[in-house]
Structure formats: C-alpha cells, structure tokens
Amino acid sequence: MKISKLTALVFVLAAVLYSPKVDAQNVPNILEIGRESRSRLVRVNPLAEAYYNRGNALRESGDIKGEIEFYNKALRINPNYVEAYFNRGNALRKLGDMKRAIEDYNQALRINPNYAEAYDNRGAIRVQSEDMKGGIEDYNQALRINPNYAEAYLNRGATRAQLEDMKGGIEDFNEALRINPKYAEAYLNRGNALRKSGDTKEAIEDYNQALRINPNYAEAYYNRGAIRVQ
C-alpha cells in the first residue's frame, strides 16, 4: 500500500509531538577523566559533555576565551565535571590568570584527589610565583600518584636545579629519561645541570642528543654554542 507524502508527514509530526521528553540533566553518561587518572569515573551529563567537547575544539583552534566560555557552560550543568575544571585552569593559565587557574586545579583535586596532572600544573604555577617549596610538594604528590610521570620528574628536577641542588635535579632528569628516552627537554635540562656542575663534556653530549631528537631545538644549539665559546 502506497502512503502519500502528506500522510507520511503527519506520521513524522505525530512522532515528534508525542514522543516522551527526556530531561538532559538527568541522563547520565560515563566519561573517563585524566590521562593519568583513568581508573576514576565521573557521571557526566550528555549536554555538559557536548559543551566540554566544544571547548576542547576551540582550544585546538586557539580560541582561549571561547574555550573558557564552553567549559563554563559545562560546569553550570555539571559542577563536578573534573576535566572541565582542569582544562579551564589550563586556559586561564595561558591567559596569565594564575589565581583563578589555581582555584580550578584546587577544585579538580577536591573532586578527584588522585589527579596527578592537576598537582603537576598547580606546582608549575607555584614555582613561577616563587613558591618553590609548594611547587616541589605538588610534584612529589603527582609522582606518588603516578611514579611514571616523566613531566613531573622534569619539572621537579628543574626546580631543584634552580635551587642549586644539581645532584637532585640530575637524578630527576635521569628518571624522566628512563621513562621517556626521547624526551628532548629532559636532555636539555640535564645538560644545563651538568654544565653548572662543571661537566661540560657530558653537557655537550646531552645537547647533542636533544638535537638528534629535535633538530629545531634553538635553546640546545644556543647552550651548546655557549660551552664551545667558553
């Protein structure tokens, strides 16, 4: 039996008008959070997740203010969306708003105390604000949660070297390179620490290795050149 276009349209309209309504705020979804915190799951509203994903897309395009706007929308719907706090904190950090960035990392850690990246990023802001002790404490906590967190070793090592603890800094850079043997920044930082320790030969070897991994690493060329001139 053929159905006319008008009859088909009536069926479609009836389906739309009389289908049961779904309250988006009460429909849960499961979203994994944190590269280093995969074991913890948070129930995320689908609409909040859509806003969050839109924020991530804007981050990739470089629209930091737009990114923050969509994370705000996600958090209005779901105030416990830990990744939205973390990513908004990262965006605020890029804008130079360190105070609000730390507030977002704090909130992320209240929701998920095992969020290693939040400790690491908060530690970086503390060091930048010359709170070296607080920064190292955050890096320590990140490494207690994830002992294979190469970036946290790098950051703690750089802070130790800044405090003239070259031995401790080199130990941390060694750990970062054990985890990631192609970590050019770790070679650069270890080279800097070796240079300050007077071991210029080993320092040059580290700069060479950094340049093998990243031939466009300007700072490694500069530091190697400084030793050669010296």
Side-chain angles (χ1 to χ4, degrees):
M1 180 180 66
K2 293 184 178 181
I3 301 176
S4 69
K5 291 182 179 180
L6 179 60
T7 304
L9 180 59
V10 169
F11 285 145
V12 171
L13 289 173
V16 171
L17 292 172
Y18 295 102
S19 60
K21 294 182 178 180
V22 178
D23 182 358
Q25 296 193 17
N26 293 321
V27 178
N29 187 26
I30 297 295
L31 179 69
E32 288 188 349
I33 61 170
R35 287 170 297 174
E36 309 297 339
S37 307
R38 295 300 188 185
S39 62
R40 182 179 174 86
L41 297 175
V42 173
R43 299 181 75 79
V44 176
N45 176 284
L47 183 58
E49 187 177 354
Y51 283 133
Y52 170 77
N53 289 336
R54 177 60 175 163
N56 289 346
L58 290 170
R59 177 190 63 202
E60 296 298 324
S61 68
D63 183 358
I64 299 175
K65 291 184 178 179
E67 172 190 358
I68 291 172
E69 179 184 349
F70 278 93
Y71 294 143
N72 291 343
K73 291 180 178 181
L75 288 165
R76 278 195 289 270
I77 295 170
N78 180 5
N80 292 314
Y81 202 154
V82 66
E83 275 291 331
Y85 283 113
F86 177 76
N87 284 1
R88 189 175 69 179
N90 293 342
L92 290 165
R93 182 181 173 192
K94 290 177 186 176
L95 291 177
D97 193 343
M98 302 306 177
K99 181 179 178 182
R100 289 177 60 202
I102 282 185
E103 288 174 358
D104 273 351
Y105 295 140
N106 289 343
Q107 187 60 31
L109 289 167
R110 289 188 194 101
I111 298 166
N112 179 7
N114 293 316
Y115 204 164
E117 292 96 332
Y119 280 111
D120 184 57
N121 287 11
R122 189 177 71 178
I125 293 179
R126 286 179 164 174
V127 169
Q128 187 177 345
S129 303
E130 299 186 356
D131 178 11
M132 304 299 187
K133 181 180 177 181
I136 287 178
E137 286 176 356
D138 274 347
Y139 298 142
N140 290 343
Q141 185 60 29
L143 289 166
R144 277 192 285 270
I145 295 166
N146 179 10
N148 292 312
Y149 196 170
E151 187 175 351
Y153 279 115
L154 175 73
N155 289 339
R156 190 177 69 179
T159 305
R160 285 176 165 174
Q162 193 173 344
L163 293 171
E164 302 300 326
D165 177 12
M166 298 306 160
K167 181 180 178 182
I170 290 170
E171 288 174 356
D172 276 344
F173 301 140
N174 290 343
E175 282 300 307
L177 289 166
R178 177 186 61 79
I179 296 163
N180 180 7
K182 294 186 177 181
Y183 203 166
E185 194 172 357
Y187 281 110
L188 176 80
N189 279 271
R190 190 174 70 179
N192 293 343
L194 288 165
R195 179 186 173 190
K196 289 181 181 178
S197 300
D199 193 345
T200 54
K201 181 181 178 182
E202 290 297 323
I204 286 179
E205 289 184 4
D206 270 354
Y207 296 143
N208 290 342
Q209 186 59 30
L211 290 166
R212 289 187 194 100
I213 297 166
N214 179 9
N216 296 315
Y217 205 163
E219 191 174 353
Y221 282 113
Y222 180 85
N223 290 1
R224 187 177 69 179
I227 292 180
R228 287 175 170 175
V229 169
Q230 182 181 353

